[in-house]
Structure formats: structure tokens, C-alpha cells
């Protein structure tokens, strides 16, 4: 097929060209007029570009998670075998050690206990091979969390419900999304160590107001801020949040910086823990509720039994440290900053004596008891 | 409209459908929420980060391994072998199992923490746990390695145990539910608990056996030396490390001080391979690479009965009756609480222990070893009566070995037990066997029907034949008197000896020997009271002397004696012709 342009055609095309030129020129000036001078250097398409960039960041995060899951699966299979198909929870929800029933022999978990009683030899089974799948999920989750914490942006950790299929497939169903901010103008990100420095710095209240959200009445979500550990979900009641800000300011004066790694926990989340819907699989490990309650808080007990449900409780450490790398001096500094006196000469927070990372404030029964007794650390 | 225009028009919906399909299949899974406030942030793009990951592997390995392990355990239980540990180890090394683990230096740490945990979990209160570390033949041949176990307070109530080489943590961390770290003086063990920041134990290997030459409790910048930390006082308030120098204090009468030797539990660790590999990281080398999957698991076993004694010997208890010296090497097994001796004139070497115990003709003696009489050295081949009428004193020791007492000879690391039984017949052959017994009263079964059972009697190892000798003479005869009878004949009289020369009761007197020699006066005559060949001897029966244990005055008319003075001595002799011949007296 061949197209030929006649005289009329040339005329039509010429006119159309000028009409389009006039329309575009008019549109440009109209828009230019509408947005003034494109202040702050915005250009046409900046927002669209930001949107597409956000999508690309989301895709990059998804790709990273997919690869991390693949590596984590192999790693956790290796670790699981090394620990004989058994997993222990070093610090359980109830802050206790959830160990293997029959313990270890020479660092290997015991599968059978052969016992002699009244001259007869009996065997006690200590390992259920069906639990290997649950334990693999626990290892996998820990391993994946390490990968996710290494990602430059904030990806929620401990965020999955796992399903296993034979030979061997794991499906991680996320409960929280990865959120990527879309800014009017895309700002180049710098992930160099200087930016990620943990040097204590005073809180920029205005910035904090912008960075935090209020998901429901009286609560403040400060996930993703300097006060919240990477990968953690940080929500507190407003009063508790303000107490935390004051404690951080006191900490900065001491040359340290605080980092919350656990705060408010919704009753749904607590119920999921209790029901065994998390990688810890408490319900599967301890089917008897009377035993399970030693390791995980029963949400039926409410805030009195599960203080994290109150929104007035934090598990906190020094920025740049983990609970394992915190020294005695670090714990002391943390304690000192958190229990600094407020304007009423009352401690901002009080420590639960048995757990150096656990602090309560405001309206918890423990805080009230401590204030009444004039102490800053209480059982 | 021409056909070409129609085609062009149709292209538009096709293109739209194509775009929609592309967008759907490549799933833009997120959603955007616009920010209401007029600030730098336009909104948030949210995407659910769910994922799916696959690999070629099956968790069925666990059930397969478990079945194999259970089969091995059941087989060993059914075979009724007393050494079940050895049996299971043998079974799991058969075929293609290859479940052996390579030794690692961190094993020392786990050995230590395992025993510490066992101490903590004991039901006993106010007891002292005593233990030593297991031998690890292939470990730490390089003695220059500076190894330490460091215990630190961790999350309350846990203690963290780590193995260090110089200042680097070697592979090995363990957690112990033990409250806080305390140390104490022994004297104040129930009142005092000094808190330590950490306790550090220096490790040394000799021939693969680890020991702790130095231990310190560290508080701030202060170091408190504990000469050895393997003495742990377990009280209601937790565990306290105690200086070893207080060990003698523990040996008070029970139940004041209970010493519990660990471990009470044995176990086996397995490292099974099924030939599968994964790409994984390992702290051991810090690399990510293809690695074989190794399944590590363990079983715990009841402590086996103490191993058979293999150095048993018996000797005659010199200058004594109805007794023997039973000698054997002290065994380092910590769970031995006592030894049992079985003896009979009948052979019982092939009989099962259960039968032996039921047989009334086989006598049993049990000897607890918690407080033997310690002696540096003793010469068991010679003893002397000094003075007489007391038990014979063994050379080097210069003391007698008392009946039914246990001695520990330090220089030879041997126990000696003086077995005495009034019914023990001297000169008769006895079958004697020894077994080691643990605190549960368990001992070897001597079941020779079980294949490869090491818990059996073997001649000259833990079973022997022995006969003791009666070499104990009756005591010295006293109050020997001579008087001339009305018929001109000389009558001797003396007291009936009720005792043996060592002061024990005399039960086997047979008669008397009367030694005599006329006392001559002259320039070439030596007046010697030594009874020698120049003395004449007169042997008489007890009945001739007219005395007994109920009639203590013995008399005998010596027709051989003339008037004048004589050197005379009377010696009693027993069934075995043992006699004690004293100096003669001039009468």
C-alpha cells in the first residue's frame, strides 16, 4: 500500500501543524501561569516521575524480598538441620526462654531420652518431626529479617504468615505493606554511612510532627523515624510518645540515642501470637494454654497482663546496639535516660526490674506503683 | 471509508486491550494514597511484599533419621546389653549411617555447661557438685592456645557461657538458666553470695584432657582468684562457685555436706548426613558456599553401671587369721560409690549377678569409698609385732591394717580392703570377685549370654581364686613356774593363753612346746636365754597340760628335768603349728 499526498493534503497537514503548535504554546503558558514560575525548580512531569520512581522502588524492594526469601530458605534449611530440626526462642513474648523440652547434649538437641527406672529401660520421645516445618518457619523468619534489615529502605520485619508446600516451597503472606513516600520532587537518596550514622542528635520536633501519623485517636505512629528501630512497627499513646521524646532529649544530653524496637501491640497481633499464627508458633509448641501462658501473653488478660497492649510500654535499647551487644554500662545509661525526671520531678518512665529493656509510663499499673513507692525500677 | 481506514480504526481498540493486558499481567500490585496536606509529600505508594520461594529439598529426612535412630535404640534395649551407649554407637555406625561428629574445641564448653546445667537441675539442695571435663583426644594438641570459658550475667535469670581464644570468641555460646553469677567463701556458703560480673576459667589440655588451672571471679576491676571453679555449691538461692581449697571441708559427716559427682547423665551426639547440599553461610569459616546438610541431634542415656575392675588382686593379711587383703586400682569413674566383694568356695564366674545375689552360699561384702583411710605407702609383704599383743604393723606404714577397713594408698593409687570373716577358712580356696557399684546400687550383670558384653567377670581382672594362710601364733605364755613335787619330780605351771599374739581371741590352740636347757656354771659357759638348738623341746597336747579356756591353770610334770636351775620357756602352738617363742627364763 502506498500513500500519496495531494495538494489538499499538504494544505490540511500544514494547517493542522500550526493549530497544534498554537494549542501547545497556549497550554504551556496557561500552565506556567497557573503554577507561577514552577517554584523550587519543578518541571513538567516531576510528579509523574516521582510516581513512577515510587513504583520502581516498590519493585526493587519486592525483587530484594524475593531474592532474600530464596537465600533465606536455603540458609534456614541448613541451620535447621544443624539444630536437629528444633528451634528455641531466646526471648519469648513473655520475655522468658522457650527452650526444647529435653534440652541439649553437647550442644545438640535431644531427640530421645533413654531412662532406667526400677531396672527397666524406657524411651521418651522429645522431637516431633512434624514440628520441623514450624521450626523451619521460625529460622526462615529470623534469617529473612536479617536480610530485610540490611535493605537501605524500611521493610517491615516479622511481617509474614508462612505456608509450606512439599519439596519445598514457602509462601510468605505479608500483613503490612512496604510504604514508599512519593515526594513532589524526587530527592536523590544517599545510603552512605554518614547518613546512617547513629550519632545522637536533638529531636527536630517539626520534622517529627511531619514524619509521624496518628492512626487512631490518641495514638502516634512513629515507624520509620529515628526513634524507631528499622523494620519495627512503633506506635504509642500520645502521652507516652511525648515522654519518649523527652527521654530521647535527656539521652542526647548524655551522648546517647534511644531506639524503640517494640511498643504498642494491637490485640489482633497479640491474638495471632497466642493462636500460633506467627513464626514463633506458640500454640503449636505449647498446646496446653496453662503452659503456653508462661511464654506468650494471653490477650484475654487485657492490658493488666499484657502491658504492650496499653500503648504506654516500650522495649528500648541504645541506637546502634542490639540487646546482645548492650554492655552493663549501656544498660545503665539507658536506664538513666529513660528514668530522667520530668517537670513534676517524676520519672518519665520506670523500668521493669527483671528486664533492662522494658519501660512503662503514664497509665500502667506498674508505673503507678513505682511512683507511689518512689522508685524507678520495680517488679 | 476505505478498507485501510477501517483497519487503522480497528487498531485502536486492539492497542488498548493490549495495554490493559500488559498492565494486568505485570501486576502493579501496589496502590497509591494521596496526601491531603499541602506539603512536600504527594502521597504514599504501598505494596504488599508477599513472596514465594522454592528449593529442591524435603523435610522427610527428619522422619527417616528418627526412624533409624529409634530402630537402633530399640534393638539395643531388646538385646539387654548393659552398655547401651556402646551398642547404639555401634548400631548407628553400621551401613551407610556415618553419624559420627568431628570433635570441636567448643565441645569443651558444652561439656562444661552440660554438667553445670545438670548440677542446677538436681533436686538436691545445699549440695556440692564436683566434676571434671571429659577427655577430647583430638582437641587442642597445640598447647599454646589460650582458651578460656567466660561466664557472664545475661538476661536475668540467664548466664551466658562463651569459649574464647585470646580475646576472640570461638564458636560456642550457651545459655544457662542459673539466676546470677555468685561466688562465696565456703564457711559462709549459706549466708554469703558475692555477685560477680563474670567468671573466667582458663583451660589447659594435657593428653587431650582439659583442666582448669586458674579461675577468677571478676567484679569491676577486681579479680578474685578461685583455684578451681568446678566445685559449685547449689543452694536455694542458686549456684555459687567455691574455691577448691575448701574441698576437705565438704567431707564432714553427711548430710551436712553432700558431694554430688557429675555427670549423672550420659549421652550420644550424632551428625548425620543424607548427601544433600545447600548454598549457605557458616560462622565456622565465614563463607557462603555449597555445604552438605548435617543433621545434629542427640540422645541422653542413663549413666551406665560402673565399668568392671580390671586390676584385682588378693594377698594374705600377714600375721592374722580369717582375713585377706583385697587390692585394686582406684578408678577415675566419678559415679562409683562403693565396691562389692563376692566370695565362696563354689565357682560362680559364669553365673549372672541376679543368681549370685540369690545364692546364700556366696557371701557379699559392700565397701563404701567415701572416706577411706589415706596412707602414703605401705609394704604389704612384711609386718612386725611391736609391741606384742597388738596387731602386726606393716612396714613403711608402721601401723596395722585393721579388719574390715578401707585404705587408699596414695603412692600407688590403690585401694586396700582388709576382708575379715570369722567363717573364712584359712587354707581353703575361695572364689573372690569384685564389682563397682554406683549410687543407685547398680553394678555389672555378668551376663555372658549378651554378645560383646564388657560387664563380665574375668579371671585375674575382677575374679580370682585365693586362700589365706593362718600365720598367727598364740600369745606369749606367762607366769611359767617350776616347783619340785613331793615325788621328786619337777612340775611346770603356766597360764592358759586366751589371746593370739596380736591380741585377738585364740581359738585354735593345739598344744604347747616346752623348751628347756640346764643352767651350767663355769668359765666357758655363756648364760644365754635365746632359745636355740641347744634347747631341748618337749611337745605336749592341751589335754596333757590339763587346762582350757575355762580352766586357765596349765600344769605339766617334767620327768626330764633334774634338780637345779633351767632356762625354760613355754610356747603355745595352734592348728597350723604357729607359735610365738619368747626368751627363756631361768628358773
Amino acid at each position: 500500500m502506498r500513500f500519496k499526498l495531494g495538494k489538499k493534503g499538504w494544505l490540511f497537514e500544514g494547517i493542522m501543524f500550526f493549530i497544534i503548535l498554537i494549542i501547545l504554546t497556549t497550554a504551556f503558558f496557561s500552565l506556567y501561569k497557573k503554577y507561577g514560575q514552577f517554584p523550587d525548580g519543578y518541571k513538567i512531569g516531576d510528579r509523574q516521575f516521582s510516581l513512577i520512581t515510587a513504583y520502581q522502588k516498590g519493585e526493587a524492594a519486592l525483587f530484594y524480598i524475593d531474592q532474600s526469601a530464596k537465600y533465606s530458605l536455603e540458609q534456614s534449611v541448613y541451620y535447621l538441620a544443624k539444630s536437629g530440626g528444633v528451634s528455641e526462642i531466646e526471648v519469648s513474648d513473655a520475655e522468658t526462654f522457650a527452650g526444647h523440652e529435653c534440652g541439649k547434649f553437647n550442644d545438640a538437641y535431644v531427640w530421645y531420652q533413654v531412662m532406667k527406672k526400677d531396672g527397666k529401660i524406657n524411651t521418651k520421645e522429645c522431637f516431633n518431626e512434624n514440628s520441623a516445618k514450624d521450626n523451619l518457619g521460625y529460622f526462615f523468619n529470623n534469617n529473612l529479617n536479617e536480610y530485610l534489615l540490611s535493605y537501605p529502605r524500611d521493610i517491615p520485619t516479622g511481617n509474614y504468615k508462612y505456608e509450606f508446600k512439599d519439596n519445598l516451597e514457602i509462601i510468605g503472606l505479608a500483613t503490612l505493606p512496604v510504604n514508599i513516600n512519593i515526594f513532589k520532587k524526587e530527592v536523590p537518596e544517599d545510603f552512605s554511612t554518614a547518613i546512617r550514622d547513629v550519632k545522637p542528635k536533638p529531636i527536630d520536633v517539626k520534622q517529627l510532627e511531619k514524619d509521624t501519623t496518628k492512626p487512631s485517636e490518641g495514638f502516634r505512629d512513629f515507624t520509620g523515624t529515628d526513634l524507631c528501630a528499622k523494620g519495627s512497627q512503633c506506635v504509642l499513646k500520645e502521652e507516652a510518645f511525648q515522654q519518649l521524646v523527652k527521654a530521647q532529649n535527656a539521652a542526647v544530653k548524655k551522648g546517647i540515642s534511644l531506639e524503640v524496637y517494640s511498643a504498642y501491640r494491637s490485640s489482633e497481633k497479640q491474638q495471632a501470637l497466642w493462636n500460633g499464627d506467627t513464626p514463633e508458633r506458640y500454640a503449636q509448641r505449647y498446646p496446653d494454654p496453662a503452659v503456653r501462658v508462661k511464654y506468650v501473653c494471653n490477650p484475654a488478660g487485657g492490658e493488666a497482663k499484657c502491658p504492650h497492649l496499653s500503648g504506654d510500654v516500650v522495649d528500648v535499647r541504645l541506637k546502634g546496639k542490639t540487646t546482645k551487644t548492650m554492655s552493663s554500662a549501656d544498660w545503665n545509661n539507658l536506664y538513666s535516660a529513660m528514668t530522667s525526671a520530668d517537670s513534676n520531678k517524676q520519672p518519665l518512665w520506670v523500668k521493669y526490674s527483671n528486664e533492662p529493656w522494658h519501660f512503662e509510663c503514664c497509665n500502667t499499673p506498674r508505673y503507678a506503683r513505682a511512683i507511689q513507692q518512689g522508685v524507678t525500677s520495680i517488679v | 471509508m476505505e478498507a485501510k481506514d477501517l483497519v487503522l480504526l480497528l487498531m485502536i481498540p486492539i492497542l488498548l486491550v493490549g495495554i490493559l493486558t500488559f498492565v494486568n499481567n505485570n501486576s502493579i500490585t501496589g496502590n497509591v494514597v494521596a496526601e491531603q496536606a499541602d506539603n512536600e509529600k504527594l502521597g504514599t505508594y504501598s505494596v504488599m511484599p508477599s513472596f514465594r520461594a522454592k528449593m529442591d529439598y524435603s523435610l522427610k529426612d527428619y522422619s527417616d533419621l528418627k526412624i533409624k535412630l529409634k530402630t537402633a535404640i530399640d534393638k539395643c534395649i531388646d538385646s539387654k546389653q548393659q552398655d547401651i551407649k556402646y551398642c547404639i554407637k555401634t548400631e548407628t555406625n553400621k551401613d551407610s549411617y556415618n553419624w559420627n561428629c568431628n570433635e570441636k574445641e567448643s565441645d569443651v564448653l558444652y561439656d562444661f555447661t552440660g554438667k553445670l546445667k545438670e548440677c542446677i537441675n538436681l533436686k538436691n539442695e545445699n549440695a556440692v557438685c564436683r566434676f571434671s571435663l571429659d577427655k577430647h583426644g583430638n582437641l587442642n594438641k597445640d598447647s599454646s592456645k589460650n582458651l578460656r570459658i567466660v561466664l557472664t550475667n545475661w538476661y536475668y535469670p540467664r548466664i551466658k557461657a562463651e569459649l574464647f581464644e585470646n580475646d576472640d570468641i570461638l564458636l560456642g555460646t550457651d545459655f544457662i538458666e542459673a539466676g546470677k553469677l555468685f561466688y562465696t567463701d565456703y564457711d559462709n556458703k549459706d549466708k554469703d553470695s558475692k555477685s560477680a560480673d563474670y567468671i573466667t576459667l582458663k583451660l589447659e589440655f594435657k593428653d587431650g584432657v582439659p583442666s582448669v588451672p586458674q579461675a577468677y571471679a571478676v567484679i569491676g576491676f577486681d579479680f578474685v582468684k578461685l583455684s578451681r571453679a568446678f566445685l559449685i555449691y547449689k543452694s536455694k538461692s542458686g549456684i555459687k562457685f567455691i574455691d577448691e581449697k575448701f574441698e576437705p571441708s565438704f567431707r564432714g559427716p553427711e548430710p551436712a555436706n553432700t558431694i554430688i559427682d557429675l555427670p549423672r547423665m550420659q549421652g550420644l551426639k550424632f551428625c548425620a548426613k543424607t548427601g544433600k547440599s545447600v548454598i549457605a553461610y557458616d560462622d565456622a569459616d565465614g563463607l557462603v558456599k555449597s555445604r552438605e546438610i548435617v543433621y545434629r541431634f542427640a540422645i541422653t542415656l542413663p549413666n551406665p553401671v560402673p565399668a568392671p575392675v580390671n586390676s584385682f588382686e588378693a594377698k594374705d593379711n600377714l600375721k592374722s587369721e580369717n582375713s585377706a587383703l583385697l587390692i585394686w586400682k582406684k578408678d577415675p569413674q566419678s559415679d562409683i560409690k562403693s565396691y562389692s566383694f563376692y566370695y565362696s568356695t563354689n565357682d560362680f564366674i559364669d553365673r549372672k549377678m541376679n543368681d549370685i545375689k540369690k545364692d546364700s552360699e556366696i557371701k557379699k561384702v559392700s565397701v563404701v569409698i567415701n572416706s577411706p583411710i589415706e596412707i602414703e605407702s605401705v609394704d604389704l609383704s612384711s609386718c612386725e609385732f611391736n609391741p606384742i599383743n597388738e596387731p602386726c604393723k606393716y612396714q613403711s606404714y608402721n601401723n596395722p591394717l585393721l579388719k574390715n577397713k578401707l585404705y587408699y594408698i596414695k603412692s600407688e593409687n590403690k585401694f586396700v580392703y582388709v576382708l575379715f570373716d570369722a567363717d573364712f577358712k584359712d587354707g581353703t580356696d575361695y572364689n573372690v570377685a569384685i564389682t563397682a557399684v554406683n549410687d543407685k546400687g547398680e553394678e555389672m550383670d555378668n551376663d555372658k549370654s549378651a554378645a560383646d558384653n564388657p560387664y563380665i567377670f574375668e579371671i585375674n581382672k575382677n575374679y580370682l581364686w585365693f586362700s589365706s594362710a593362718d600365720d598367727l601364733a598364740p600369745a606369749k605364755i606367762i607366769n611359767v613356774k617350776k616347783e619340785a613335787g613331793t615325788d621328786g619330780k619337777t612340775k611346770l605351771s603356766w597360764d592358759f593363753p586366751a589371746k593370739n599374739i596380736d591380741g585377738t581371741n585364740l581359738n585354735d590352740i593345739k598344744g604347747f612346746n616346752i623348751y628347756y636347757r640346764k643352767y651350767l656354771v663355769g668359765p666357758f659357759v655363756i648364760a644365754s636365754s635365746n632359745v636355740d638348738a641347744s634347747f631341748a623341746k618337749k611337745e605336749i597336747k592341751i589335754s596333757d597340760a590339763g587346762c582350757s579356756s575355762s580352766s586357765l591353770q596349765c600344769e605339766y610334770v617334767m620327768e626330764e628335768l633334774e634338780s637345779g636351775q633351767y632356762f625354760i620357756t613355754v610356747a603355745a602352738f595352734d592348728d597350723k603349728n604357729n607359735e610365738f617363742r619368747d626368751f627363756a627364763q631361768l628358773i
Side-chain angles (χ1 to χ4, degrees):
Chain A
M1 202 177 348
R2 196 163 162 246
F3 293 96
K4 268 191 173 181
L5 225 52
K7 276 186 183 175
K8 284 182 182 173
W10 279 112
L11 184 64
F12 175 76
E13 288 211 350
I15 291 166
M16 283 304 290
F17 174 77
F18 281 107
I19 289 170
I20 290 167
L21 190 67
I22 289 162
I23 290 168
L24 287 177
T25 310
T26 309
F28 175 76
F29 282 106
S30 302
L31 285 171
Y32 190 80
K33 197 178 172 186
K34 184 181 176 185
Y35 291 107
Q37 298 281 317
F38 283 101
D40 303 328
Y42 290 138
K43 292 176 185 155
I44 291 175
D46 271 355
R47 293 181 181 191
Q48 290 77 359
F49 183 70
S50 292
L51 193 60
I52 291 167
T53 307
Y55 167 73
Q56 282 178 335
K57 284 178 185 171
E59 287 302 297
L62 291 182
F63 177 71
Y64 181 85
I65 292 165
D66 277 346
Q67 287 302 307
S68 301
K70 196 174 152 189
Y71 299 146
S72 296
L73 185 58
E74 293 211 28
Q75 186 69 55
S76 45
V77 162
Y78 181 71
Y79 279 157
L80 183 71
K82 249 184 131 177
S83 71
V86 176
S87 70
E88 290 182 328
I89 304 174
E90 208 172 279
V91 183
S92 73
D93 177 57
E95 318 283 10
T96 53
F97 175 62
H100 180 53
E101 184 192 357
C102 299
K104 285 178 168 183
F105 175 77
N106 270 359
D107 199 40
Y109 289 105
V110 172
W111 279 14
Y112 286 101
Q113 282 180 334
V114 182
M115 294 170 289
K116 195 190 259 183
K117 197 174 181 186
D118 302 329
K120 285 189 175 177
I121 296 180
N122 301 309
T123 311
K124 180 187 172 188
E125 189 179 317
C126 300
F127 170 63
N128 179 356
E129 62 272 33
N130 297 325
S131 69
K133 199 191 283 180
D134 292 334
N135 293 329
L136 180 66
Y138 182 72
F139 275 107
F140 178 87
N141 189 59
N142 288 346
N143 213 264
L144 183 67
N145 284 348
E146 282 185 35
Y147 275 107
L148 301 187
L149 287 173
S150 302
Y151 192 66
R153 294 189 186 86
D154 211 357
I155 300 175
T157 54
N159 185 31
Y160 293 97
K161 191 174 175 185
Y162 297 111
E163 286 176 12
F164 283 93
K165 292 186 176 175
D166 288 338
N167 287 339
L168 176 73
E169 186 174 5
I170 185 168
I171 298 167
L173 299 168
T175 51
L176 291 171
V178 173
N179 292 320
I180 292 150
N181 292 328
I182 309 165
F183 294 101
K184 283 180 179 170
K185 186 175 181 181
E186 187 60 25
V187 182
E189 289 172 290
D190 185 354
F191 297 118
S192 67
T193 50
I195 296 296
R196 301 169 77 186
D197 202 346
V198 292
K199 272 185 188 168
K201 53 184 177 187
I203 285 180
D204 181 343
V205 179
K206 275 190 178 176
Q207 188 60 44
L208 197 63
E209 281 293 326
K210 285 182 184 175
D211 291 345
T212 57
T213 56
K214 296 176 182 175
S216 63
E217 195 58 41
F219 280 88
R220 176 87 72 143
D221 183 349
F222 56 104
T223 307
T225 66
D226 278 350
L227 278 172
C228 182
K230 200 169 170 219
S232 298
Q233 186 78 9
C234 299
V235 177
L236 280 177
K237 274 190 183 152
E238 183 61 27
E239 188 188 352
F241 176 72
Q242 294 305 333
Q243 296 286 81
L244 181 70
V245 170
K246 287 176 190 170
Q248 166 65 4
N249 285 332
V252 170
K253 285 179 189 166
K254 294 173 189 292
I256 54 174
S257 202
L258 308 178
E259 186 176 77
V260 173
Y261 61 94
S262 179
Y264 168 71
R265 189 182 293 157
S266 67
S267 51
E268 292 79 18
K269 178 97 188 270
Q270 192 64 47
Q271 194 67 52
L273 275 169
W274 178 257
N275 291 346
D277 293 336
T278 60
E280 291 84 0
R281 298 268 177 177
Y282 287 110
Q284 290 82 349
R285 282 174 193 263
Y286 308 107
D288 181 357
V291 178
R292 198 188 319 160
V293 79
K294 291 179 190 168
Y295 304 99
V296 59
C297 184
N298 185 349
E303 290 180 13
K305 293 281 179 189
C306 312
H308 277 280
L309 294 176
S310 69
D312 286 336
V313 173
V314 286
D315 288 344
V316 63
R317 62 193 174 211
L318 297 190
K319 207 166 185 66
K321 301 267 183 179
T322 65
T323 39
K324 282 189 178 179
T325 58
M326 289 279 286
S327 65
S328 299
D330 290 335
W331 288 121
N332 285 338
N333 285 334
L334 175 74
Y335 173 55
S336 170
M338 288 295 284
T339 55
S340 304
D342 64 6
S343 52
N344 298 326
K345 296 189 176 175
Q346 283 191 345
L348 294 168
W349 296 80
V350 295
K351 187 180 80 168
Y352 174 40
S353 300
N354 289 341
E355 294 159 9
W357 54 84
H358 180 109
F359 290 85
E360 301 187 8
C361 80
C362 313
N363 298 308
T364 70
R366 187 172 277 137
Y367 183 76
R369 269 192 293 121
I371 297 301
Q372 195 181 18
Q373 292 175 27
V375 295
T376 54
S377 178
I378 192 165
V379 178
Chain B
M1 187 184 285
E2 292 181 25
K4 62 183 179 186
D5 299 327
L6 188 64
V7 171
L8 283 170
L9 274 172
L10 283 173
M11 287 294 287
I12 295 167
I14 292 169
L15 204 63
L16 285 171
V17 170
I19 289 167
L20 282 172
T21 310
F22 175 80
V23 167
N24 277 339
N25 282 350
N26 283 278
S27 59
I28 297 173
T29 50
N31 66 304
V32 175
V33 177
E35 192 82 358
Q36 297 301 318
D38 185 21
N39 58 24
E40 298 297 303
K41 200 170 153 187
L42 283 174
T44 309
Y45 173 65
S46 300
V47 60
M48 293 301 275
S50 299
F51 61 82
R52 182 192 296 260
K54 277 179 92 168
M55 68 179 285
D56 184 20
Y57 173 78
S58 171
L59 291 167
K60 195 172 165 291
D61 278 3
Y62 288 96
S63 49
D64 291 346
L65 287 168
K66 204 177 143 190
I67 290 166
K68 283 183 179 178
L69 179 62
K70 186 72 169 62
T71 308
I73 293 170
D74 287 345
K75 192 173 174 185
C76 291
I77 292 174
D78 291 343
S79 71
K80 295 190 174 169
Q81 288 207 18
Q82 209 164 22
D83 193 350
I84 194 167
K85 183 176 179 180
Y86 172 78
C87 176
I88 294 172
K89 202 170 183 179
T90 309
E91 284 298 320
T92 52
N93 276 331
K94 278 181 184 171
D95 304 329
S96 57
Y97 282 31
N98 186 22
W99 287 8
N100 285 333
C101 297
N102 292 327
E103 286 187 333
K104 290 179 180 175
E105 264 153 352
S106 52
D107 287 350
V108 180
L109 176 78
Y110 299 124
D111 178 26
F112 171 75
T113 55
K115 285 166 184 164
L116 190 54
K117 285 175 190 173
E118 200 178 336
C119 176
I120 291 159
N121 293 329
L122 287 173
K123 286 181 182 162
N124 308 58
E125 292 292 350
N126 302 73
V128 172
C129 298
R130 176 173 57 190
F131 55 91
S132 52
L133 296 170
D134 286 348
K135 183 173 180 171
H136 296 274
N138 297 324
L139 290 188
N140 204 35
K141 295 207 164 158
D142 175 9
S143 58
S144 64
K145 276 197 173 180
N146 180 16
L147 296 178
R148 287 178 297 135
I149 291 174
V150 178
L151 303 171
T152 42
N153 288 306
W154 189 233
Y155 301 139
Y156 181 83
R158 266 176 285 165
I159 287 170
K160 183 167 70 171
E162 288 169 302
L163 183 67
F164 279 76
E165 182 181 352
N166 297 319
D167 290 328
D168 302 322
I169 296 176
L170 274 181
L171 279 183
T173 302
D174 205 356
F175 295 96
I176 306 153
E177 300 276 324
K180 283 189 172 181
L181 279 174
F182 292 114
Y183 69 100
T184 182
D185 295 329
Y186 181 78
D187 292 339
N188 298 311
K189 63 188 186 302
D190 288 316
K191 307 173 210 158
D192 185 27
S193 293
K194 292 174 192 146
S195 186
D197 292 341
Y198 59 93
I199 284 177
T200 177
L201 319 166
K202 183 176 164 55
L203 284 172
E204 251 179 30
F205 280 80
K206 193 176 179 187
D207 300 327
V209 180
S211 63
V212 177
Q214 288 173 339
Y216 294 96
V218 184
I219 315 103
F221 295 103
D222 295 331
F223 282 67
V224 177
K225 191 177 175 189
L226 304 169
S227 66
R228 197 179 72 157
F230 290 153
L231 298 169
I232 295 163
Y233 183 63
K234 184 178 182 298
S235 66
K236 280 182 183 172
S237 61
I239 55 162
K240 300 170 186 179
F241 288 86
I242 303 177
D243 196 315
E244 182 194 27
K245 69 186 174 192
F246 294 106
E247 180 166 348
S249 316
F250 307 148
R251 295 188 175 169
E254 299 221 16
N257 299 300
T258 308
I259 299 178
I260 298 165
D261 285 303
L262 299 176
R264 292 177 144 193
M265 193 68 79
Q266 295 262 330
L268 270 173
K269 184 164 98 174
F270 302 104
C271 298
K273 295 169 185 171
T274 55
K276 293 172 188 164
S277 298
V278 286
I279 306 284
Y281 170 84
D282 198 309
D283 288 331
D285 53 16
L287 297 173
V288 176
K289 62 179 186 182
S290 177
R291 297 176 191 278
E292 192 166 13
I293 298 173
V294 181
Y295 299 85
R296 291 167 77 247
F297 50 91
I299 57 171
T300 55
L301 300 164
N303 242 357
V305 298
V309 174
N310 60 7
S311 60
F312 188 41
E313 53 182 314
K315 284 186 175 180
D316 180 40
N317 189 14
L318 299 177
K319 311 291 181 194
S320 69
E321 291 172 332
N322 315 112
S323 72
L325 300 180
L326 304 178
I327 305 150
W328 69 101
K329 202 155 191 174
K330 185 180 179 182
D331 199 302
Q333 295 174 87
S334 61
D335 59 338
I336 297 175
K337 286 289 167 230
S338 64
Y339 287 90
S340 289
F341 302 104
Y342 296 89
Y343 57 96
S344 170
T345 51
N346 301 323
D347 186 351
F348 56 91
I349 190 167
D350 292 328
R351 293 176 66 185
K352 288 184 183 175
M353 188 52 76
N354 285 341
D355 294 339
I356 292 170
K357 285 179 175 174
K358 287 175 195 165
D359 190 336
S360 59
E361 289 191 14
I362 302 173
K363 289 198 169 187
K364 178 188 172 183
V365 173
S366 189
V367 181
V368 180
I369 60 165
N370 60 353
S371 52
I373 300 164
E374 290 189 359
I375 53 182
E376 276 304 323
S377 64
V378 62
D379 179 1
L380 297 174
S381 61
S382 113
C383 83
E384 278 184 0
F385 288 107
N386 182 25
I388 57 169
N389 296 329
E390 285 184 11
C392 185
K393 290 179 177 174
Y394 276 92
Q395 299 295 298
S396 300
Y397 179 41
N398 292 328
N399 277 297
L401 297 179
L402 304 175
K403 289 169 185 171
N404 299 328
K405 292 283 181 191
L406 181 69
Y407 293 86
Y408 172 61
I409 309 169
K410 281 185 182 175
S411 59
E412 297 178 58
N413 190 33
K414 281 181 177 173
F415 283 120
V416 176
Y417 180 69
V418 185
L419 176 65
F420 171 80
D421 182 347
D423 296 334
F424 205 67
K425 291 174 188 163
D426 290 318
T428 305
D429 278 344
Y430 279 88
N431 295 264
V432 187
I434 180 172
T435 63
V437 185
N438 65 19
D439 57 354
K440 291 172 190 157
E442 296 167 328
E443 60 192 321
M444 53 184 277
D445 59 2
N446 196 37
D447 183 358
K448 292 185 175 172
S449 64
D452 301 324
N453 183 9
Y455 294 91
I456 54 169
F457 287 136
E458 291 181 86
I459 293 166
N460 291 334
K461 286 188 174 178
N462 52 9
Y463 188 98
L464 43 83
W465 294 284
F466 173 74
S467 71
S468 68
D470 176 6
D471 52 358
L472 184 66
K476 178 186 170 184
I477 300 295
I478 54 172
N479 285 332
V480 179
K481 291 174 187 163
K482 185 182 80 159
E483 56 185 87
T486 49
D487 54 358
K489 291 176 183 173
T490 303
K491 188 172 79 177
L492 289 176
S493 64
W494 61 91
D495 289 353
F496 181 81
K499 302 280 182 185
N500 283 314
I501 193 73
D502 65 349
T504 55
N505 289 336
L506 174 61
N507 299 316
D508 58 351
I509 187 166
K510 192 176 173 188
F512 300 97
N513 284 322
I514 302 166
Y515 297 91
Y516 59 96
R517 192 187 69 186
K518 186 148 188 170
Y519 177 63
L520 300 173
V521 180
F524 306 106
V525 176
I526 300 166
S528 171
S529 60
N530 272 340
V531 179
D532 56 19
S534 63
F535 278 65
K537 176 184 167 187
K538 174 77 178 177
E539 183 180 315
I540 61 171
K541 294 176 186 172
I542 294 181
S543 54
D544 296 337
C547 56
S548 66
S549 56
S550 54
S551 172
L552 299 175
Q553 189 64 44
C554 304
E555 289 178 351
Y556 186 72
V557 177
M558 286 284 287
E559 291 179 353
E560 295 86 346
L561 299 184
E562 300 164 1
S563 60
Q565 283 190 301
Y566 278 84
F567 282 107
I568 297 176
T569 186
V570 179
F573 61 90
D574 63 12
D575 291 343
K576 302 291 183 302
N577 292 327
N578 295 306
E579 67 169 17
F580 178 76
R581 204 183 299 166
D582 198 11
F583 290 109
Q585 58 184 109
L586 186 63
I587 45 177

